[in-house]
Every structure is written in structure tokens, then in C-alpha cells.
Amino acid sequence: MSQIGFELNCQSWRLKSMRPQELLDLTGMVAIVTGAGDGIGAGCAEILAAAGAQTLD
């Protein structure tokens, strides 16, 4: 069995100052979020929409 290794330089990641658009680009994709009416689901739907995903109302 082979192993795949990788190295991650944590200092290069500045997640606190990054916007969703900088993390991933979902332009042209559709996001389906169950429970998007309120709470965590609503927050997830907002972030996916900010990243460019199409959401349905």
C-alpha cells in the first residue's frame, strides 16, 4: 500500500481575513441546502451564494 504525503505551511493560510470568494469559486454551480430557512442552514446558503453558487428561493 502506497502513502501519499503532503506538507501544509499553516502560516500561508489566513482564513480569518479571507472571504468565501477567495476560498472557492462556485460560479455556474447550483447549491442545494436543506434547512436553509434559518439557523446554520441559512448561514451555509448565504456563504455558498457569496461564493457564486446559484440558490433557489
Side-chain angles (χ1 to χ4, degrees), residues 2-54:
S2 65
Q3 293 182 357
I4 300 173
F6 65 93
E7 183 177 334
L8 176 62
N9 180 358
C10 293
Q11 293 177 353
S12 67
W13 289 79
R14 296 186 181 125
L15 296 178
K16 290 183 180 178
S17 63
M18 295 181 81
R19 299 176 310 188
Q21 300 89 338
E22 297 174 49
L23 293 172
L24 70 155
D25 181 13
L26 298 178
T27 303
M29 297 186 167
V30 176
I32 300 173
V33 181
T34 59
D38 61 2
I40 294 173
C44 291
E46 288 178 13
I47 290 171
L48 292 169
Q54 178 184 5

